[in-house]
């Protein structure tokens, strides 16, 4: 299922039988070959450029992951994407990203530490769902995309204890 490997906090290696053609392991990522979907990542994962979608909770609770670059073909960050990745600092979001789902970066307490706590969400994003960035303690400054139409009903930046500035660049956003 979607969360079959959730809370595998120390996961370093995924191995497959050499006769398995349904899945592959590339750069620490378990990939479903038929649709180029990332199912689960390890603490040393680098998402391959050919990945088109990411399964719910693919990076959830990985304790040692510090950096994630989401490939340009991915248009949606899934629910619980990196929930509880306490050491996740650098995240590169693709320019064509459209949706950041519920609790995608929830409890990523060190998110954006190396860039002074500044998060700029790509202008292509139209939807940010509930609690997407809640409890990201290191965030100090957030710039919301100019094409943002919808933000979830929950508190997207709840308990971001260092957050000082939120820039709204779109005056047409629905509540």
């Amino acid at each position: 299922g979607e969360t079959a490997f959730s809370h595998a906090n120390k996961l370093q290696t995924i191995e497959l039988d050499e006769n398995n053609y349904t899945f592959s392991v590339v750069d620490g990522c378990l990939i479903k070959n038929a649709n180029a979907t990332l199912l689960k990542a390890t603490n040393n994962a680098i998402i391959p450029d050919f990945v088109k979608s990411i399964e719910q909770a693919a990076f959830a609770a990985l304790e040692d992951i510090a950096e994630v670059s989401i490939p340009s073909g991915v248009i949606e960050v899934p629910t619980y994407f990196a929930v509880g990745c306490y050491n996740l600092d650098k995240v590169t979001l693709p320019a064509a990203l459209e949706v950041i789902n519920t609790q995608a970066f929830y409890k990523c307490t060190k998110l954006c530490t190396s860039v002074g706590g500044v998060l700029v969400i790509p202008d292509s994003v139209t939807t940010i769902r509930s609690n997407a960035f809640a409890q990201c303690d290191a965030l100090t400054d957030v710039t919301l995309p100019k094409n943002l139409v919808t933000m979830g009903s929950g508190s997207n930046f709840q308990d971001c204890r260092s957050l000082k500035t939120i820039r709204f660049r779109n005056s047409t956003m629905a509540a």
Side-chain angles (χ1 to χ4, degrees), residues 110-130:
K110 293 185 180 176
L111 190 64
C112 298
T113 302
S114 65
V115 292
V118 177
L119 173 65
V120 178
I121 300 170
D123 282 337
S124 57
V125 173
T126 59
T127 303
I128 301 174
R129 302 213 191 278
S130 298

Side-chain angles (χ1 to χ4, degrees), residues 5-25:
F5 301 102
S6 66
H7 302 291
N9 304 26
K10 298 289 187 184
L11 187 63
Q12 294 294 327
T13 306
I14 299 171
E15 296 177 0
L16 296 175
D17 183 89
E18 64 186 42
N19 296 317
N20 186 329
Y21 301 106
T22 304
F23 303 101
S24 58
V25 176

